[in-house]
Amino acid sequence: MKRLTAGITIALSVSVATWTAASDDIEAVLQNSFVAKNQATMDRLERDAVQTACSAPRGLPLDNQSLTTLREERLNAVVMPADRQYLGDWQRGAEVAGNGRGLQSSDDPTQPNGGNCYACHQLAPDEVAYGTLGPSLTGYGARGQSEAMLQYTWTKLWDTHAYNLCSHMPRFGAQGILTEQQLKDVMAYLLDPTSPVNQATE
Amino acid sequence: MKRRNLGFTLFAVWLCSAQLAANDGVFDQYRDLMGDDNPAVFVIDEGEELWFTPQGPESATLEACDLGLGPGVTAGTYVRFPRYFADTDAVMDLESRLVHCMTTIQGRDLETVTAKPYSLRGDFGTEIEALVTWLAAESEGATIAPEQTHAAERAMYTLGEEIFYYRAGPHDFSCATCHEQSDMRIRLQALPDLTSHAGAAEAWGSWPAYRISQGLVRTMGWRLRDCFRQQRWPELQMGSEASIALQTYMAVNAAGGIMTAPGLKR
């Protein structure tokens, strides 16, 4: 609250001094432009280090060293499954991949969150309603189930910035969007040879 | 009966092939089939009627309202928004300008007129929605040309661009997550690239629009609010600085395009 008040004070003094400085105070603008609704609370507008680094208009800032450090921090913070079992049930994983609900102000917070993989990725070849913001993952299981492959895929789902800083993909593990079990189920959906993702098209 | 079944089958086949085609051309086809039949025409009439209806403690119409081209001028005003108004010393979008006129000219209570700017599913449309729809129609075919002469208007564009790229919330989504690349889609929904002139002109020029899935006309203010709901952010307020900044960003990127609203959408 104190921060907010300070922000407003700065916004007022800045707007008197010069119009062009208004954007220096983007946090204050957002605080004044949004209101909390159900589970979508105002603290969601505060950015962490990744979000701040990845908010630069038209691409990344040029300070490569701090970006490399940030990416390494994300990699070191990945939490692997405690029992080292990476693969769950692909059928439940299919439900997670198709479910677009969760964490919106309009969603029931007692229901499990979805992963909404199909919003951006092609997966099972017989599902035509897939988005194209991310690469196609059809046939992903052909990469096999080596320990390296399991850890790579888990890391990608847990925190995409560990490999590809400022990727558009959400951090499903690090941000608590999906549970450990849901992540395992999605892993199986991607990697299980019997999953529809890995069935050849006719 | 048999003939009717055949017709239905053909329609189903068309729908399936349309789905398989999985691009925006599908909806373009549908739009073509509708021709000039946009249910928004009823909302346009309602908006015009509301403009000329005396309301509030002053029992005044909105005819004294200055939308930027002088009191009472409605034709060609929508394509110049958002713009700076000296009487409020602020950059305003059409929705916030209408609210200003309702409170100052008609003497109506600010909280009352802003309590529910956008209708919920299953509602009748709101007064703001009807007025915006009519005023957009009053600019149909006009060139999108938002004012960028005042320093405040240019600052609003810069702020809008910054908000466009601002990543926040549990999913790290910004506007740019979905709207800075060309020829992308979410599921089957095509996404306009709002950083490009073509994408911004198509998007800015087609709202407000009649949403078939909701049976309502929706304004750009509502469109932005619903984007942020999907971004897992809190709720964007009508007429807020962030809303006006983003609309300025889109409108300026769209400048030179043609206003085709009210549009017809899924």
Side-chain angles (χ1 to χ4, degrees):
Chain A
M1 192 59 209
K2 205 171 172 186
R3 208 176 130 195
L4 178 59
T5 317
I8 293 167
T9 313
I10 294 165
L12 289 175
S13 54
V14 163
S15 67
V16 171
T18 162
W19 280 104
T20 51
S23 63
D24 292 345
D25 224 17
I26 189 167
E27 275 85 9
V29 169
L30 295 178
Q31 288 292 329
N32 290 326
S33 297
F34 289 80
V35 294
K37 187 170 187 189
N38 303 328
Q39 59 181 315
T41 47
M42 290 299 279
D43 57 332
R44 290 188 178 185
L45 296 176
E46 289 162 22
R47 293 177 295 187
D48 67 9
V50 168
Q51 291 169 334
T52 303
C54 299
S55 290
R58 297 179 299 272
L60 289 172
L62 293 172
D63 182 359
N64 285 325
Q65 187 49 51
S66 64
L67 292 179
T68 305
T69 308
L70 183 58
R71 192 189 63 73
E72 281 165 1
E73 276 171 24
R74 302 312 304 175
L75 187 60
N76 293 332
V78 173
V79 179
M80 295 294 168
D83 58 4
R84 293 278 153 178
Q85 297 299 308
Y86 292 93
L87 300 171
D89 174 352
W90 70 254
Q91 281 167 311
R92 285 198 307 241
E95 278 172 41
V96 176
N99 180 5
R101 294 192 189 280
L103 297 168
Q104 298 172 118
S105 58
S106 52
D107 291 329
D108 178 354
T110 67
Q111 294 300 305
N113 296 333
N116 209 13
C117 314
Y118 275 106
C120 299
H121 296 282
Q122 183 179 28
L123 291 145
D126 61 352
E127 172 59 76
V128 296
Y130 61 87
T132 55
L133 283 165
S136 171
L137 301 174
T138 299
Y140 188 88
R143 292 162 172 83
Q145 296 188 9
S146 66
E147 185 67 16
M149 195 59 218
L150 293 171
Q151 285 190 20
Y152 168 81
T153 307
W154 182 271
T155 301
K156 187 76 193 163
L157 294 174
W158 186 272
D159 187 341
T160 183
H161 304 278
Y163 294 133
N164 181 12
L165 193 71
C166 298
S167 154
H168 287 309
M169 188 167 133
R171 294 170 274 176
F172 291 101
Q175 292 279 70
I177 299 166
L178 298 179
T179 65
E180 187 182 87
Q181 186 58 52
Q182 285 180 308
L183 288 169
K184 289 181 178 184
D185 295 338
V186 172
M187 289 281 290
Y189 189 53
L190 287 168
L191 289 161
D192 192 316
T194 64
S195 157
V197 172
N198 301 314
Q199 305 311 307
T201 32
E202 312 93 68
Chain B
M1 189 64 204
K2 209 168 178 185
R3 189 179 236 175
R4 213 164 135 200
N5 276 339
L6 178 68
F8 179 76
T9 309
L10 283 174
F11 177 73
V13 166
W14 171 79
L15 199 68
C16 285
S17 58
Q19 280 215 336
L20 283 169
N23 59 43
D24 206 34
V26 178
F27 200 77
D28 289 342
Q29 283 175 35
Y30 179 81
R31 216 179 265 121
D32 289 344
L33 286 175
M34 290 290 283
D36 293 330
D37 297 334
N38 186 340
V41 293
F42 301 109
V43 185
I44 294 172
D45 289 349
E46 191 194 336
E48 182 174 17
E49 211 176 298
L50 283 165
W51 180 265
F52 293 105
T53 304
Q55 290 198 76
E58 304 296 332
S59 190
T61 71
L62 287 170
E63 286 166 279
C65 183
D66 183 356
L67 298 176
L69 299 180
V73 178
T74 55
T77 52
Y78 186 77
V79 285
R80 310 302 293 272
F81 277 93
R83 62 185 296 160
Y84 175 82
F85 287 89
D87 57 2
T88 56
D89 190 28
V91 179
M92 305 174 93
D93 64 348
L94 175 59
E95 294 177 14
S96 53
R97 189 62 186 174
L98 285 171
V99 167
H100 170 75
C101 289
M102 289 172 183
T103 53
T104 54
I105 296 167
Q106 298 181 321
R108 295 161 72 184
D109 176 52
L110 177 66
E111 267 186 52
T112 313
V113 294
T114 56
K116 191 183 175 188
Y118 313 123
S119 45
L120 303 174
R121 274 171 195 259
D123 282 353
F124 293 110
T126 66
E127 184 181 0
I128 292 278
E129 287 167 342
L131 284 166
V132 170
T133 307
W134 174 57
L135 288 165
E138 287 282 283
S139 278
E140 201 178 345
T143 302
I144 299 164
E147 292 290 342
Q148 280 285 286
T149 47
H150 195 281
E153 291 163 341
R154 294 193 294 273
M156 204 51 114
Y157 177 86
T158 309
L159 177 64
E161 182 180 49
E162 223 175 311
I163 296 172
F164 186 84
Y165 286 95
Y166 190 101
R167 293 183 73 167
H171 286 61
D172 308 325
F173 288 151
S174 66
C175 307
T177 306
C178 292
H179 294 293
E180 70 164 338
Q181 299 174 80
S182 295
D183 302 320
M184 294 292 178
R185 58 173 213 251
I186 282 193
R187 288 280 187 161
L188 293 177
Q189 178 65 49
L191 299 164
D193 173 4
L194 300 176
T195 67
S196 77
H197 167 71
E202 192 279 332
W204 183 256
S206 61
W207 291 89
Y210 186 84
R211 283 291 293 266
I212 294 158
S213 58
Q214 303 183 3
L216 287 164
V217 170
R218 294 306 200 176
T219 66
M220 183 54 87
W222 173 87
R223 178 59 270 175
L224 288 174
R225 171 182 282 195
D226 206 53
C227 274
F228 283 113
R229 178 184 65 80
Q230 293 171 296
Q231 279 171 246
R232 276 76 179 170
W233 288 31
E235 188 169 77
L236 179 68
Q237 297 306 290
M238 177 188 71
S240 64
E241 199 174 354
S243 176
I244 294 167
L246 285 166
Q247 291 181 68
T248 305
Y249 179 67
M250 269 191 282
V252 172
N253 289 350
I258 300 299
M259 181 54 60
T260 61
L264 185 65
K265 293 183 189 277
R266 173 181 62 83

